[in-house]
Amino acid sequence: MPTVVVMDVSLSMTRPVSIEGSEEYQRKHLAAHGLTMLFEHMATNYKLEFTALVVFSSLWELMVPFTRDYNTLQEALSNMDDYDKTCLESALVGVCNIVQQEWGGAIPCQVVLVTDGCLGIGRGSLRHSLATHSQRSESNRFPLPFPFPSKLYIMCMANLEELQSTDSLDCLERLIDLNNGEGQIFTIDGPLCLKNVQSMFGKLIDLAYTPFHAVLKCGHLTADVQVFPRPEPFVVDEEIDPIPKVINTDLEIVGFIDIADISSPPVLSRHLVLPIALNKEGDEVGTGITDDNEDENSANQIAGKIPNFCVLLHGSLKVEGMVAIVQLGPEWHGMLYSQADSKKKSNLMMSLFEPGPEPLPWLGKMAQLGPISDAKENPYGEDDNKSPFPLQPRNKRSYAQNVTVWIKPSGLQNPNAEIFLPLIDRCTEDFKKCKEIT
Amino acid sequence: MKIFSESHKTVFVVDHCPYMAESCRQHVEFDMLVKNRTQGIIPLAPISKSLWTCSVESSMEYCRIMYDIFPFKKLLMAALAAVGPPNPRADPECCSILHGLVAAVETLCKITEYQHEARTLLMENAERVGNRGRIICITNAKSDSHVRMLEDCVQETIHEHNKLAANSDHLMQIQKCELVLIHTYAVGEDSLVSDRPKKELSPVLTSEVHSVRAGRHLATKLNILVQQHFDLASTTITNIPMKEEQHANTSANYDVELLHHKDAHVDFLKSGDTHIGGSSREGSFKETITLKWCTPRTNNIELHYCTGAYRISPVDVNSRPSSCLTNFLLNGRSVLLEQPRKSGSKVISHMLSSHGGEIFLHVLSSSRSILEDPPSISEGCGGRVTDYRITDFGEFMRENRLTPFLDPRYKIDGSLEIPLERAKDQLEKHTRYWPMIISQTTIFNMQAVVPLASVIVKESLTEEDVLNCQKTIYNLVDMERKNDPLPISTVGTRGKGPKRDEQYRIMWNELETLVRAHINNSEKHQRVLECLMACRSKPPEEEERKKRGRKREDKEDKSEKAVKDYEQEKSWQDSERLKGILERGKEELAEAEIIKDSPDSPEPPNKKPLVEMDETPPVEKSKGPVSLLSLWSNRINTANSRKHQEFAGRLNSVNNRAELYQHLKEENGMETTENGKASRQ
């Protein structure tokens, strides 16, 4: 899930914060401190996250486009200037554009808005935006809800009392509501100081940036893994079952199926399954990403030489052209497979099916899948030339029946257009050629 | 869409009154060949359908589309065929549409199978299951006030039935009902009823009125309605090349329009910034999104990243291009669809594919992946290990493939057996002892052990299985007596591999571990272990002699787990040490490479090519001062080469790599996979 950090650089962020016995801080310093902490956390525990940095006042600017290089982000944080007033709406429009250009409309994104709770004045202020919200037309739609799945986290460089003294909190809460309730507001507990900012960002990290660790199991063969990005809770039907489903931390393989049989199934999301070495305290030793750090490097090397089930599974899935069906929870399944990117690197990937007893009609009910050894004769045939899949639906669809083909009057009078055949034979020729080449 | 939305239940009420028997006055010319006909024959007069026929046909079309796209969870009530055409002479009073509407409301109150299931499942939360429905009434109303009368009637009936339902376990109160009144009249007449958009008559009932001419117009109207009611959208596949019989060498391009759930267009809706508001609904449904056909070139089986798959239904199921397309797909071919872009870049956004007689429109992800440039698996944990039992695990996966069991089976205690649980059970049994790398195991590298290893994991054994296991064990005893070499790993020893009798001791230990892991399966498994123990037991003095001098190895006996862990651990220490020695000794490069390639195993033994171990000749004697390594590797190489025919793959290999499963490629045109690549890249 990519992250967009939206940083308020209006003048109000330069308001000083009195801290006893130390040099003077401004709110923007507190904000930068918190973001540094977030970036550092990502650099060590959430390395694959793409993050972009946007600053805004009455205008907005993309300081750092989506990157995994946290040094660049850090550098940009220390090179920020101060500008004029806060104008949140235009910044949110900017976020919409940036995300849609980069990722399209289907990939969920997290937007971390860092502001001081001063929402601007006059035209373009949040109050103004919200007041005119109901009078919008298609062309100047309010940017929320974001046109992509999203979480909006608002980090306020102010404490609750300060926000409640004006209507700021209400306005910010409206924003979350407008984003269909997806998101949360964080405020500083107690006086404004570095420590309390840290604890506020710590809460955000706990909520949104803790790596998802799980155990991959196939009978007695197991491996500790990190699943990236974190699988999000999923609501099946708001009305009947409004409680979001969460995946197990035990990912249990239940069996295997050929790629041809599973045939490009629709999935909710895709995740990398990275083997990790956990030491006794439960800390990570290596996530499989090389680092300049020497200690980590040697730890990685040791971990690299210990046989790991993920690597075995990945190798065999790739060679055999199969997927492993994995149970994620009650009536929730997914599949593990080998995924190669263009650079010839390949990886173990997990896709989540939609929860339910029958996510793929052509496999039938998941609970009804059993081992081939229980069948009277091998459903895959002695020479592996058959397959029990796909299952046939009980009723034929209208187009699968022997339909009477009607011809329009115009068609009849033009004998040339009487009978059509798709180019099946041409395709067969192509196959032959392909075979000859390979 | 909620499962129990208004679309869960739809009731069609088609007016059966005498007026419906009248002609729709839209003529169908069926005497087409009039031009070529010889003079003198009177052309046949055109015919026209009755209003009733038009209504029934349009309703059927509505149902066809709905059933194609939602074969489950959406229900329709329509019992049209049994009724027969209306009798124009019947008394108009006795077949009033009112009876139909009352019956419709009654039906909506009934609990459907799906609702019942959901309610039983939710137990105390059963009230979450909604009961909503839609009544589509095709009639000929006399006036606007007649329409109002019908609405009132429905309103009242709902009220009454809800009262009834409140006191019943078999009925549910109607929470929401959509009444769609379609006033139809013959072409050429003036409508006496005016259109009216959706209006809330009460919290329970909304109603809308459509005034439509019969014939083609009615069919179009219902087509639009089915799209609205079930959130459908339309895609036109363009540029489909089809051959015409009379011009087999040329092909013309045709377009086919398909309907499907509108979520298949979710990417277009969002990126195109066309936020469909409630007001512009009517217009937006006539839109269709055009996607270009990409003629499939290969039959490659690929796993696409697909974010959704939606059933389709052709708009014109009876047209030739439609039926050509669907037949093509039903034959098992998939077609990629390209999104036309102004820039000219090619973006594949969808795929049409059939799965067992149903055609789905798959949405493929075309945006940038957030998982791009991930670390390769070879860089992570376990990535540097090169002797994984990839082929063996592939075999294991094939044995643990799944297959559907549609008929329920019962356990001995009468409870229902869940096939998926059986599958998990089997995986548990098959992995009780399963070393992951070649150098961790001896028995799985020996062809001679296969008959035992393949059956011992079973839940129960037959007499024949036990016999085979025993034979295997006797065979091994025989091998030991003849002092045949074993494909044992050199791990755990310094420089030279373990002595022959030591090798056998390790092998027997491992075999015992495997069999012991399964003795609780059945009494017959127990018998296999007994046989094993009896065969390997040695006279005490011999055992005594063996023990001397290698106390180090005795630790292995402690437990099965310990065997594995200990060996594994040691393997690292020793292989590191070995490497150190090598560097110091400045061995020849070629030799060093052998070590590097497989730090802890001899020539990776391949199970299959090994023939009878018994035929192995005695080992060569050493000659002259050579290094331990070359001595050892020469010995192993000669021994190996004599006891089997050279593996065909190795003979044809390039750089010691052979392509596996070539026959598969020939059969299926599958992509080639490089041997061992997965573990080494």
Side-chain angles (χ1 to χ4, degrees), chain A residues 102 305 347 373 398 420-421, chain B residues 68 243 254 368 375 426 572:
Chain A
E102 196 78 40
K305 286 175 185 166
N347 245 298
S373 57
S398 69
F420 314 109
L421 292 168
Chain B
D68 271 356
K243 276 183 183 172
Y254 289 88
R368 184 181 167 191
Q426 180 171 317
W572 294 119

Side-chain angles (χ1 to χ4, degrees), chain A residues 158-297:
Chain A
N159 51 34
L160 203 58
E161 296 75 49
E162 189 186 338
L163 292 176
Q164 278 169 337
S165 64
T166 61
D167 64 341
S168 297
L169 194 65
D170 296 335
C171 289
L172 294 176
E173 275 169 358
R174 262 303 288 290
L175 273 188
I176 304 282
D177 288 345
L178 283 175
N179 200 33
N180 300 325
E182 294 289 349
Q184 197 171 323
I185 300 171
F186 293 84
T187 57
I188 294 178
D189 278 341
L192 271 60
C193 65
L194 293 180
K195 196 173 131 254
N196 289 341
V197 167
Q198 274 181 8
S199 86
M200 175 171 76
F201 273 88
K203 281 181 203 155
L204 172 69
I205 288 168
D206 286 346
L207 182 76
Y209 295 98
T210 36
F212 184 89
H213 289 179
V215 182
L216 181 63
K217 287 187 179 168
C218 176
H220 294 275
L221 298 168
T222 60
D224 291 310
V225 295
Q226 182 190 343
V227 178
F228 182 90
R230 301 192 321 168
E232 291 300 314
F234 184 80
V235 179
V236 183
D237 184 297
E238 290 160 26
E239 189 174 87
I240 294 175
D241 196 3
I243 303 154
K245 284 179 185 269
V246 184
I247 78 167
N248 288 348
T249 47
D250 271 0
L251 307 172
E252 200 179 358
I253 292 177
V254 294
F256 302 87
I257 289 182
D258 290 307
I259 283 184
D261 289 335
I262 199 108
S263 77
S264 299
V267 299
L268 292 176
S269 55
R270 285 193 309 174
H271 308 267
L272 284 169
V273 178
L274 305 163
I276 48 169
L278 291 174
N279 64 20
K280 275 163 198 132
E281 288 87 53
D283 293 333
E284 261 174 72
V285 174
T287 49
I289 303 151
T290 47
D291 202 276
D292 299 332
N293 190 323
E294 252 176 52
D295 282 350
E296 202 172 315
N297 233 355

Side-chain angles (χ1 to χ4, degrees), chain A residues 338-350:
Chain A
S338 160
Q339 168 83 27
D341 75 354
S342 51
K343 288 172 190 156
K344 291 283 168 203
K345 283 179 173 179
S346 67
N347 245 298
L348 191 61
M349 191 86 97
M350 177 167 76

Side-chain angles (χ1 to χ4, degrees), chain B residues 333-527:
Chain B
R333 306 288 304 281
S334 297
V335 175
L336 293 170
L337 302 175
E338 186 189 323
Q339 192 183 324
R341 288 243 167 133
K342 282 169 208 134
S343 58
S345 58
K346 189 172 168 172
V347 177
I348 304 285
S349 61
H350 291 76
M351 178 177 79
L352 273 174
S353 183
S354 90
H355 305 287
E358 281 187 292
I359 300 175
F360 289 80
L361 182 64
H362 291 247
V363 184
L364 306 181
S365 171
S366 50
S367 56
R368 184 181 167 191
S369 164
I370 55 163
L371 298 175
E372 68 181 27
D373 202 17
S376 172
I377 193 141
S378 59
E379 293 161 20
C381 296
R384 295 275 165 253
V385 181
T386 51
D387 63 338
Y388 285 108
R389 294 170 58 203
I390 300 280
T391 324
D392 291 350
F393 197 72
E395 184 72 24
F396 168 91
M397 294 195 311
R398 257 178 280 131
E399 279 163 15
N400 285 288
R401 269 185 292 191
L402 298 168
T403 188
F405 291 90
L406 302 176
D407 303 321
R409 294 184 180 205
Y410 297 93
K411 291 185 207 156
I412 303 163
D413 63 1
S415 61
L416 192 68
E417 184 180 86
I418 299 165
L420 201 65
E421 294 300 323
R422 295 270 308 152
K424 283 191 219 166
D425 258 19
Q426 180 171 317
L427 283 175
E428 189 274 324
K429 287 201 181 71
H430 283 204
T431 55
R432 281 187 196 161
Y433 179 69
W434 214 97
M436 286 197 280
I437 56 175
I438 294 167
S439 52
Q440 259 176 13
T441 177
T442 306
I443 55 171
F444 292 111
N445 298 332
M446 293 167 66
Q447 187 65 27
V449 181
V450 170
L452 185 145
S454 59
V455 296
I456 198 79
V457 295
K458 289 209 280 189
E459 196 176 10
S460 58
L461 299 179
T462 60
E463 280 301 330
E464 200 188 342
D465 289 337
V466 176
L467 218 62
N468 274 332
C469 290
Q470 287 168 346
K471 262 191 214 161
T472 309
I473 294 168
Y474 297 149
N475 191 15
L476 292 173
V477 173
D478 206 36
M479 280 168 65
E480 184 172 20
R481 198 169 42 75
K482 288 184 192 158
N483 221 11
D484 289 343
L486 290 179
I488 200 157
S489 118
T490 51
V491 176
T493 53
R494 214 164 301 179
K496 197 179 162 197
K499 292 235 173 68
R500 190 59 47 80
D501 56 348
E502 184 56 35
Q503 290 183 358
Y504 273 92
R505 214 178 59 83
I506 295 171
M507 186 277 288
W508 285 116
N509 278 344
E510 199 185 358
L511 194 63
E512 191 184 325
T513 306
L514 171 70
V515 177
R516 271 196 194 281
H518 294 278
I519 48 168
N520 292 329
N521 289 11
S522 75
E523 171 266 334
K524 290 201 177 78
H525 287 82
Q526 186 74 45
R527 270 168 54 197

